[in-house]
């Protein structure tokens, strides 16, 4: 399949290129960016210089893309894909949107949390929400896929199995992300001097992935209370950890069984159990590792999930979703062994 | 006053030396370590070379210390000070213990959480618990001070004002510390390759500061439920953040008032309020900055505190306690402006 | 003395504030910035919040400064101080310029290396070049001091003693600096994602400190060949190391004697000799540590110097120069023990 | 081909496993370590848990390895492979040694620089030195390959083309490596607190890769003077940069031509020219990027090379050498696009 990437100059776009370079069924056809000026990608990222993937970054050209590409990934910041996707011939070309534009079913939720006009309800309705392990069936053959957010992915893979089986009072989530999650734009918060040797909370209970998380949980259990969520910027480039505090009377072995039953056949879920995972053990891979600890003193359950935010949290899950939609092996072209960094 | 330091080769000991070098009332008299072999401290820490503080590190010599020093700091790992302190002439010499050996009133708590024999009840009873802002009166003239743990300090400065005024259901604490908190001993968990670019949870609900925290909260409010606490190792050298999730119906302004009233005259507490603090803003200082956010959707309160774990979490608070005990200005010799790193 | 700082929002300005807070003879009077809008400094740097140093950052007001302050530090980027200094009443107020505007004697050198119009020759001639250890006499009573560059300081403290005694063929310098040296402005090169886990060479043989270095060496030895210099951005916040490759037939003991004789009475020079210094051992202090190694196989001498670029390379040396100019103890108000970070 | 790895618990061994997992012609058969106790590799490296590569780490078992494996990689520390390799049936099994044991032709060089007894001259003579781009012909069909050191690789890829064409006076090398190059053993120098925010020179002119470098240069040019070399530990996990100072009268274009001619057909050499490479642009790949700058003022040439020390400097070049020896495409199974970290 021939691939076009819109938003090629961001970190998600770059990671897609790397994955495509290792994928036996995909060929990179063209790179696009709203500010594309036909300069080589290597003028921004020298790491691709003198590879076959160092293409010129073109402006967004819907006619050309519709004609030449079989699938197009949108790795754009929020608020862009919703206006560009309708310009494509959606009957001929498959679209995977990594931005948040098509994730929320209700337009008012988008408008509240993203502070921007929502996509048309029609477009939203067409999109399949691509939390791979939970929407396998719908993803098969899907022509428009909305890829989940990085925080949402880590949190939902930890919480959805519990919500599916249990009624749970409002969960508390303390989540931390590497700086790549903040995107490539220059800002004080991502200047080395402010990020390095620091930990920066931001968007207290206001992160736009919150309604996405509550929506998915609501699909498996109608009784979902609003969640508490702190997001924090770690002084690392890649990786994301969610620590989730759950009130439940279930025993450790019952919890283990829930996870084992639910994820028995999912190649990218690894259950670490009482050996709490660290961020490092998933970097460079599409895994989500899940650990948990039941405290005897309080009866509370602590669930810890880790992902590489650019892989399972973005480009990796996007390729996984493409694999599923095409009927290929889910793991096709995705690395099996993380990279020790 | 002449100062002796036992445990001089650890990070807490080194930080004490730095503070003493800037303190107008203190002179460093001798350095000691259980493995002291009379080598200069600079053979371990070149940073002190050719300063007046580059003394030989002697073995522990209780007679000499009792004779020469006016105050002795124990910056030893847990389990050592309890056996050494009784060898000193406690009528003549003031002792400030930065290890955990004298923090817990009940010997069985120490033995459960530290997995080691406790100090004698008599010695424990003599010690004043030095959470400076909460035990000002008892610290005056105190000859044996037990300095709080780093996690305990950050957490208690955030929670104690609330517990003093309110009955609160079990609080959830998600705490993160820099690597200096793990001490100087070599270990896999502190090898650069494992620490760097990582976030490592450890001692889930099992950290030895937990009973210390519950004990202090119990002093201001008898109805203290067990707490949930996750501790995590950040890829930074210094700094500690505690994020605390509190169920309360109080309004933001009521919470603000509680903190303002309680800390109105405390020079090392800074109230950041809705501007959530980051670790960087206290490094190199003895401040504890406190921020909070009340979520309208869940009604929950999130409190965030940050300290430099080697200063307010160890050596800084120890000097602050000495200042209080001697009737000096609490801030004497302690830096007023943090260092931007 | 009352102090004004122009360029208060940069890292050098902030470090000056920290030093002033610990200096017994200095009081901070006002903060200025070209873009000063009377907002508190803490809106940019929360670390100063609720300290007596959290002043409003005013525009540059030469009349007010001349009237109220006794000394003014310019911690501005290059190209600004040269135009502002003449607006002050230089007969009444002492000026210390940390930017490069007054360092080069020849206006054409400035215009070549800084690509900007030079200050007037008259202003340049008034300024004393403040490499403290080499211009002690001229600094006494100096009313206009030009503070050396960070690279220049580290390199010159290592090379000047050798050039003073020897004719040396062109030296090769491989220098590395922390990111604070690149300033506060946002740029790709200082974005965390590009800086972190990286080493970035820049300005190959084109750094503007090169003519400054050659000028100082020329003052002690007329036969100075042009130097080779690579500058590199380290993934750290503070610290600077210069490794200098010198062709000489001198023995190790002769080299040691040169350094010892030259720096016998200089409190901020520490000779590490064969124990090559690391950056960490000077952070938070005004020291320059100097080590060297003579290779038997090649006969070459390698000299390694380390400084904290914000202290001996900027604010620390500026205060040292003020101390000297005022006839105070050179070390007044400057930390004696580095901070382990 | 079935692969055995000896020294599987080190960083080089782990990286080999990752590469094997992506290589179409290789299957991992067994893992070995001198201290192998049949525990799963994931007990040391959780990142491999639940992958097909999480084998038990066995002791060294030469009979089993000779019988089952087609190729064995030694990723052991120096001084081990020389004693183990002779225990294998070298007629049946191919051996690639990543340690330094077989790199030096002269036993006395090994004994001087490695301070250890050398391998037998017979074994040394059998080994082909695997600097891939320079020994392509000899590597074809080679059954015993000695893989170059990480510093040697980066330096030799930059210098050998020049030495082949020119007589050059003694070159000065300022080289910097990430911490993974220091190996997995615990030490003060690799403790996070000492490594982080630091730059640590070590082994001044005494690194054991020096004779390896001079030996290879001697093969292309008899007139090789001893080199000056500083090695330094960077506060990063992966990556290595060599900056080389060369005295030459050649013009920039002549230099460019030398590199272009020499490396015209080498897929893992990328010529960056005046755009000096940074470490980041090769991480996760087998590339060596080469940049250079000719200084008009001094006439000197500065050459900068960067590699990922675990790939082109270790496991990547080992797989490249295996590919060449087997007559496969040199790039088989090796990533084409670096990973942005």
């Amino acid at each position: 399949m021939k691939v076009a990437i819109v938003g090629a100059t961001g970190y998600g776009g770059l990671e897609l290129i790397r994955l495509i370079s290792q994928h036996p069924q995909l060929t990179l056809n063209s790179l696009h960016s709203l500010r594309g000026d036909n300069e080589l990608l290597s003028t921004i990222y020298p790491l691709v210089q003198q590879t076959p993937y160092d293409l010129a970054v073109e402006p967004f050209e819907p006619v050309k893309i519709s004609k030449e590409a079989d699938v197009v990934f949108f790795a754009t910041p929020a608020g862009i894909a919703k206006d560009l996707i309708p310009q494509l011939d959606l009957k001929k070309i498959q679209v995977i949107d990594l931005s948040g534009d098509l994730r929320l079913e209700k337009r008012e939720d988008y408008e509240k949390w993203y502070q921007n006009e929502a996509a048309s309800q029609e477009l939203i309705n067409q999109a399949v929400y691509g939390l791979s392990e939970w929407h396998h069936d719908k993803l098969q053959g899907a022509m428009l896929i909305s890829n989940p957010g990085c925080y949402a992915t880590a949190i939902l893979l930890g919480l959805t199995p519990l919500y599916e089986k249990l009624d749970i009072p409002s969960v508390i989530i303390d989540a931390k992300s590497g700086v790549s999650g903040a995107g490539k734009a220059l800002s004080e918060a991502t200047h080395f001097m402010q990020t390095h040797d620091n930990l920066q909370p931001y968007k207290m209970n206001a992160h736009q992935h919150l309604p996405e998380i509550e929506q998915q949980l609501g699909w498996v259990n109608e009784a979902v209370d609003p969640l508490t969520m702190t997001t924090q910027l770690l002084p690392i480039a890649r990786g994301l950890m969610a620590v989730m505090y759950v009130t439940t009377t279930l025993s450790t072995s019952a919890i283990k069984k829930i996870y084992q039953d639910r994820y028995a056949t999912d190649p990218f879920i690894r259950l670490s159990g009482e050996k709490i995972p660290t961020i490092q053990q998933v970097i460079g891979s599409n895994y989500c590792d899940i650990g948990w600890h039941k405290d005897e003193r309080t009866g509370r359950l602590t669930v810890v999930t880790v992902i590489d935010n650019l892989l399972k949290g973005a480009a990796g899950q996007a390729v996984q979703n493409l694999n599923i939609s095409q009927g290929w092996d889910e793991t096709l072209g995705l690395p099996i062994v993380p990279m020790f960094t």
Side-chain angles (χ1 to χ4, degrees), chain A:
Chain A
M1 287 179 78
K2 286 186 173 177
V3 179
I5 298 174
V6 184
T9 62
Y11 303 136
L14 185 63
E15 193 72 355
L16 278 167
I17 293 170
R18 193 172 70 88
L19 293 179
I20 290 166
S21 79
Q22 302 179 359
H23 197 291
Q25 297 287 351
L26 302 179
T27 310
L28 185 63
N29 193 71
S30 60
L31 301 177
H32 305 269
S33 163
L34 273 194
R35 287 171 297 183
D37 54 2
N38 298 306
E39 294 283 324
L40 288 180
L41 184 64
S42 61
T43 58
I44 301 174
Y45 296 114
L47 61 83
V48 297
Q49 73 185 5
Q50 299 166 43
T51 71
Y53 303 92
D54 188 15
L55 305 184
V57 181
E58 307 169 38
F60 178 66
E61 298 173 42
V63 176
K64 177 185 164 174
I65 294 174
S66 296
K67 195 168 137 195
E68 295 182 2
D70 301 303
V71 58
V72 56
F73 293 94
F74 282 84
T76 43
I80 293 172
K82 68 187 172 69
D83 297 329
L84 303 189
I85 292 173
Q87 301 177 36
L88 295 169
D89 183 348
L90 292 179
K91 284 179 189 134
K92 290 181 50 187
I93 194 164
Q94 189 176 14
V95 173
I96 302 182
D97 177 24
L98 283 78
S99 84
D101 283 8
L102 305 179
R103 291 180 195 149
L104 300 178
E105 288 181 315
K106 298 182 187 156
R107 295 185 77 240
E108 63 265 33
D109 281 349
Y110 184 88
E111 297 186 349
K112 174 182 171 197
W113 291 86
Y114 285 81
Q115 297 285 310
N116 196 352
E117 197 189 347
S120 72
Q121 192 66 52
E122 191 196 342
L123 192 66
I124 294 170
N125 291 349
Q126 273 183 268
V128 174
Y129 182 67
L131 186 64
S132 317
E133 285 73 15
W134 288 88
H135 302 284
H136 232 276
D137 291 351
K138 284 192 183 168
L139 284 166
Q140 291 180 35
M143 286 298 280
L144 179 57
I145 297 171
S146 173
N147 217 53
C150 49
Y151 282 115
T153 297
I155 291 161
L156 287 171
L157 291 174
L159 290 184
T160 319
L162 304 177
Y163 273 80
E164 189 183 37
K165 297 289 181 193
L166 309 169
D167 284 345
I168 299 174
S170 167
V171 168
I172 287 166
I173 303 163
D174 192 285
K176 304 95 176 172
S177 171
V179 179
S180 59
K184 195 176 185 304
L186 300 180
S187 70
E188 297 291 343
T190 57
H191 190 292
F192 182 83
M193 288 296 290
Q194 185 160 330
T195 305
H196 175 71
D197 284 356
N198 203 359
L199 181 66
Q200 303 180 74
Y202 66 103
K203 293 191 187 172
M204 305 292 289
N205 296 306
H207 198 285
Q208 68 275 14
H209 292 178
L210 257 175
E212 179 183 342
I213 294 164
E214 294 172 0
Q215 170 181 280
Q216 161 72 29
L217 295 178
W219 289 335
V220 300
N221 186 330
E222 286 181 10
V224 176
D225 293 324
L227 306 173
T228 289
M229 178 157 96
T230 300
T231 44
Q232 292 150 93
L233 204 56
L234 286 167
I236 66 176
R238 280 173 180 251
L240 189 154
M241 177 183 288
V243 181
M244 293 160 278
Y245 298 95
V246 180
T247 302
T248 173
T249 55
L250 278 198
S251 68
T252 303
S253 59
I255 293 155
K256 185 176 178 181
K257 188 166 184 328
I258 288 176
Y259 283 120
Q260 282 181 333
D261 288 353
R262 184 55 188 81
Y263 291 130
T265 60
D266 289 305
F268 290 120
I269 306 294
R270 301 192 300 190
L271 303 181
S272 291
E274 292 278 329
K275 201 170 171 203
I276 305 299
T278 72
I279 280 181
Q280 202 174 57
Q281 72 191 49
V282 294
I283 298 304
S285 83
N286 199 47
Y287 293 115
C288 176
D289 285 3
I290 305 177
W292 55 84
H293 180 261
K294 185 85 192 296
D295 182 23
E296 298 307 320
R297 297 168 70 246
T298 60
R300 275 209 198 89
L301 169 70
T302 305
V303 177
V304 178
T305 57
V306 289
I307 60 170
D308 182 327
N309 59 307
L310 292 180
L311 285 162
K312 186 61 180 168
Q317 187 157 241
V319 169
Q320 183 184 3
N321 286 336
L322 177 63
N323 288 343
I324 296 169
S325 74
Q326 294 292 331
W328 301 331
D329 179 336
E330 199 167 341
T331 66
L332 195 69
L334 291 166
I336 292 301
V337 176
M339 180 164 127
F340 191 51
T341 59

